[in-house]
Amino acid sequence: MSAVVTEELAARFDAVDLDQLVTEAALLTRVDRKYVVPRVALPTIIGGLQTGTRALDIDGSRDFAYRSVYFDTPELLSFHLAARPRRRRFKIRTRSYEDTGGAFLEIKTRGARGTTAKERAEYRAELDRLPVEAREEIEQSLAAIGVAESVADRLQPTLTSSYRRATLLGTDGARATVDTDLTWLDVSGPELRLPEVAIVETKSAARASDADRVLWRQGYRPVSVSKYATGLAALRPTLPRNRWSRLLRGPFVP
C-alpha cells in the first residue's frame, strides 16, 4: 500500500491534531485489538467507518513513516517470553518518527498479575544504541517485574521494523491505526517485506469500537501479532512459532 493511497483514504475525514487526539482518547481504559488484513480491503474498511470519524493531521499530512529498533539479549529472552507466552515479559525499542522528527525510548513490561506498563522518554542517541542513562531506566523497569537487572547490560539491537501509519479517531472516542508498507530487517541480514498486507489496530474502552464492528462485519477477527516477535519468527524459521502459526503460514510468509 503506497503512502499516497493511505493518505487519500484518511483524507475523506475531518482533521484532528495531535493534542486533540491525546486529550480525547487518553481517558479510555484501553483494550487493544489487532487485525491483519489485505491492503486491497482498506478502502472498504475505512469507507465503512462513521462519517464523524477524524484523521490525525500534522502539517497537512495524514500518513507518517515510523522506524523502530528492537533490543533483546543474545539468547532472545524478550522474544521467548512472548512466544510461550510468559506472564512476565518485556519489550524494549527505540522509535523514530521519520516525517515529523523526534525519537523515543519505549519500555513495555507486563508483571505477574498481568498488568502492563509502558514508559516513554525522548531519545537523542542513535536508534541502535542504548546509552548508559537508558540502561539505568531499563534496569528499574525489569526489576519491577522480577527480571534480573543484569539483562539490561546484555541488550543489543536485534530487529528493525518500518511502516507507514495513519491514525483515526472514531465518534465513540476510540482510536484506530492503519499500518502499511510493512518491512522488517534482521540484524543478521534477512529482510521481510509485506506490501500486500496491512495491520489495523483498535484502541478502545472495554466494548467494541465502531472500527471493530466494521472489521467484524467484513469477516476479520482479532489476531495475536507482534511486530517484533512475529516478524522475527518469520525471518528465523528455527524459532518457536506456534503462537503465530496461522500468520506465519499465510500473510507473513517471506
Side-chain angles (χ1 to χ4, degrees), residues 8 10 19 49 63 84 90 92 94 101-102 104 133 138 147 155 157-159 177 189 206 218-219 226 243:
E8 288 177 350
D19 289 339
L49 298 175
D63 177 278
R84 285 187 169 83
F90 66 93
I92 312 293
T94 54
F104 294 86
E133 57 270 22
I138 293 168
V147 174
L155 294 173
T158 305
L159 185 74
T177 57
Q218 297 183 26
S226 159
R243 190 178 181 192

Side-chain angles (χ1 to χ4, degrees), residues 231-248:
L232 193 63
L235 287 165
R236 301 188 187 185
T238 59
L239 290 175
R241 50 204 296 116
N242 287 346
R243 190 178 181 192
W244 311 285
S245 57
R246 186 174 67 84
L247 291 174
L248 294 171

Side-chain angles (χ1 to χ4, degrees), residues 59 119 135 145 168-169 171 238:
D59 297 330
E119 301 174 56
R135 291 182 183 276
I145 62 168
L168 306 173
L169 180 62
T171 57
T238 59

